[in-house]
Amino acid sequence: MHVKAKTVALGGLLLALTVVFMVLGSIIETSTLFLLAAASFFVGIVVREFGLKMGGGFYLAAVLLGFITAPNKFYVLTFAAMGFYIWGIEAVWRWLEKRHEMRQRHKVFWISKFVIFNIVYLPIVFLFRDMLFSQSISNGVMAVVIAGGQIGLFIYDRAYDYMQAHIWGKIRGKVL
């Protein structure tokens, strides 16, 4: 595999920023979700600029470096879930781009987003129930947590779209 120097340099810089954001998320407790979301957005940048394989390698490297450097390993797992979601929706988008004959691709894309999110989110909520909540909670509260996650997905996805279109769109021309 032949990799260009510019690809390696930008990938290394983005990987360093990703790890710094993960570590800062462990240190600055009030901004943890914001910093972990920002770190996961770099996965999407690498996928869009260099492809799914490079994005997958970037994602794995970020998770491994996060486990080595971040003080709170639970936040690295949170980043891993967020990064997997970003990588997954970018993969679905690339797959849908090749399917011009498919009708209502936008609806298929949104359904795919919810499926990928819930494949990650629901097992975490149910399997780590005792770890996430300090006491036993009712099924009604669990329903609220699940619904809240869906609302959180919408906010997270809008933030990602904004970052790609506006922030990275402005920086991209200067960096590449």
Side-chain angles (χ1 to χ4, degrees), residues 144-157:
V144 170
V145 168
I146 292 169
Q150 308 309 309
I151 294 167
L153 165 66
F154 182 77
I155 294 167
Y156 176 71
D157 196 66

Side-chain angles (χ1 to χ4, degrees), residues 5-133:
K6 194 177 233 183
T7 302
V8 172
L10 182 60
L13 177 66
L14 293 176
L15 185 59
L17 286 172
T18 301
V19 172
V20 166
F21 279 26
M22 269 192 277
V23 170
L24 285 176
S26 294
I27 295 170
I28 305 171
E29 295 288 330
T30 56
S31 299
T32 299
L33 279 178
F34 171 79
L35 290 166
L36 292 176
S40 69
F41 292 167
F42 293 123
V43 174
I45 291 172
V46 172
V47 169
R48 286 193 182 186
E49 295 300 327
F50 308 120
L52 283 172
K53 286 183 183 178
M54 186 71 78
F58 178 88
Y59 167 73
L60 291 174
V63 171
L64 291 173
L65 282 173
F67 275 118
I68 293 170
T69 59
N72 192 334
K73 307 309 182 209
F74 183 72
Y75 294 156
V76 177
L77 292 175
T78 305
F79 162 79
M82 292 174 153
F84 178 78
Y85 169 78
I86 295 291
W87 188 87
I89 65 169
E90 290 294 337
V92 168
W93 179 255
R94 286 175 180 256
W95 182 80
L96 286 173
E97 277 183 325
K98 297 174 185 174
R99 307 293 186 276
H100 296 289
E101 72 282 352
M102 183 183 287
R103 293 183 183 194
Q104 300 179 342
R105 288 186 295 168
H106 187 71
K107 287 182 182 178
V108 172
F109 186 55
W110 266 100
I111 291 169
S112 299
K113 285 181 177 186
F114 279 103
V115 168
I116 292 169
F117 172 76
N118 285 307
I119 285 172
V120 174
Y121 182 66
L122 294 178
I124 290 171
V125 170
F126 287 111
L127 294 177
F128 298 110
R129 188 178 197 166
D130 295 333
M131 194 161 111
L132 294 173
F133 307 107

Side-chain angles (χ1 to χ4, degrees), residues 128-141:
F128 298 110
R129 188 178 197 166
D130 295 333
M131 194 161 111
L132 294 173
F133 307 107
S134 61
Q135 58 188 8
S136 171
I137 60 170
S138 68
N139 290 335
V141 174

